[in-house]
Amino acid sequence: MTYGSGPATVLAASGWPGALGHPFFQHALLAGTAIAAAAGLIGYFLVLRAQVFTGDALSHVAFTGALAALALGYDPRLGLFAATIAVALLLGGLGRRGKVDDVAIGGIFSWVLGLGVFFLTLYTTSRSAANGGAGVNVLFGSIFGMSSGQARLAALVAVGICAAVVVIARPLLFASVDEKVAAARGVPVRLLGFGFLLLVGACAAEATQAVGSLLLLGLLAAPAGAAQRLTDRPYRALALSAGLAVGEMWAGLGLSYAVPEVPPSFGILAAATAVYAATFVPVPRRRPAPVAA
């Protein structure tokens, strides 16, 4: 993840049809598409399992982890993945059967925020002269600043997350809907819970690169919430959540390209919010035709 100045001058000088001709936009589109698909799949199960608060907690963990790595002179991605995965598994261990308990989240939440403030102070007083905008980019993402190698790596990791979710989707759905019956049928509920939390941590680290830790929850929750309002069929909702997330990612990147003053993270979350809000608009139902006597 590269932390530096965005290509605003290039955007301002280019027309919308030429977006795909710019390497930075190609990199953002490649990484963003895969990250959004992973966030949509993970987000569906977060909403289904009533663990959205976990995503909120991990957004703060991502901020703390990235700043810790920066303060110590390491690649921020190392801090992102190490912190989010470790804390996700810790939360599962403190809960029941690998399912996170809100009390455990609340107990760790303030501690993580305190660490974040500490590492932010350490970074700004010792290393920020080399890259003063890094802290801001951790909060709001820097998807247009990804290099080719970073984009390919992010896409590969996100594709791996998607594949893992697809593999465990059926038993995880069973355990999410009726945990006791699933356990009685021999489903490894606790192991599935830990496996899912590991994927949540990895997805949180990935999504932070696109929308930042501050807006991470929106990418996880909004597409999944909209999908669950649009259909009550689980597999259709799972696919729809991923599809909506990808579409919103494309819309946000396109908006940010067309209007350089709009940060890509804002454009992505604005699209996600608009789609979710649209699901509350009442749709008039067609009255059934009268039956002839």
Side-chain angles (χ1 to χ4, degrees), residues 36-48 165 169 173 177 219-246 248 275 279:
L41 295 177
I42 290 292
Y44 171 77
F45 282 107
L46 281 177
V47 173
L48 182 66
V165 173
L173 178 63
V177 173
L219 189 60
L220 289 172
Q228 287 204 342
R229 290 188 57 83
L230 292 173
T231 179
D232 56 0
R233 297 185 178 183
Y235 292 114
R236 181 179 296 179
L238 181 63
L240 183 59
S241 177
L244 287 175
V246 171
E248 290 154 6
V275 171
T279 63

Side-chain angles (χ1 to χ4, degrees), residues 37 82 87 97 104 109 136 138 146 175 209 213 233 238 255 266 281 290:
V87 172
R97 289 187 175 180
F109 205 91
V136 174
V138 170
M146 283 186 166
Q209 300 179 75
S213 61
R233 297 185 178 183
L238 181 63
L255 175 62
F266 170 80
V281 177

Side-chain angles (χ1 to χ4, degrees), residues 21-272:
H22 297 295
F24 73 85
F25 194 89
Q26 296 170 5
H27 302 158
L29 194 62
L30 171 64
T33 300
I35 289 172
L41 295 177
I42 290 292
Y44 171 77
F45 282 107
L46 281 177
V47 173
L48 182 66
R49 294 166 65 86
Q51 291 183 327
V52 175
F53 193 25
T54 305
D56 187 28
L58 290 179
S59 67
H60 294 79
V61 173
F63 173 70
T64 300
L67 281 178
L70 285 168
L72 298 174
Y74 295 104
D75 190 314
R77 290 173 296 179
L78 178 62
L80 280 174
F81 281 94
T84 53
I85 292 175
V87 172
L89 294 177
L90 174 62
L91 291 173
L94 295 176
R96 181 175 58 87
R97 289 187 175 180
K99 196 169 184 179
V100 179
D101 184 89
D102 286 348
V103 177
I105 294 177
I108 292 177
F109 205 91
S110 56
W111 174 65
V112 169
L113 283 177
L115 280 178
V117 172
F118 168 73
F119 285 119
L120 176 62
T121 303
L122 182 63
Y123 174 68
T124 54
T125 56
S126 61
R127 295 182 180 273
S128 63
N131 195 348
V136 174
N137 283 312
V138 170
L139 283 173
F140 299 104
S142 59
I143 193 168
F144 278 154
M146 283 186 166
S147 66
S148 175
Q150 291 168 342
R152 285 197 298 268
L153 179 59
L156 286 173
V157 173
V159 168
I161 294 172
C162 292
V165 173
V166 170
V167 169
I168 67 171
R170 185 178 180 85
L172 183 60
L173 178 63
F174 190 10
S176 301
V177 173
D178 198 327
E179 181 180 302
K180 292 182 178 179
V181 174
R185 292 287 185 88
V187 176
V189 174
R190 183 175 177 81
L191 183 61
L192 272 176
F194 276 105
F196 175 66
L197 287 173
L198 187 151
L199 293 176
V200 173
C203 185
E206 279 292 290
T208 299
Q209 300 179 75
V211 296
S213 61
L214 193 63
L215 304 177
L216 165 63
L217 182 61
L219 189 60
L220 289 172
Q228 287 204 342
R229 290 188 57 83
L230 292 173
T231 179
D232 56 0
R233 297 185 178 183
Y235 292 114
R236 181 179 296 179
L238 181 63
L240 183 59
S241 177
L244 287 175
V246 171
E248 290 154 6
M249 176 66 69
W250 291 351
L253 293 178
L255 175 62
S256 183
Y257 182 90
V259 185
E261 292 78 12
V262 175
S265 54
F266 170 80
I268 295 164
L269 269 298

Side-chain angles (χ1 to χ4, degrees), residues 267-290:
I268 295 164
L269 269 298
T273 303
V275 171
Y276 182 68
T279 63
F280 287 88
V281 177
V283 179
R285 297 182 178 180
R286 296 176 58 186
R287 295 183 178 180

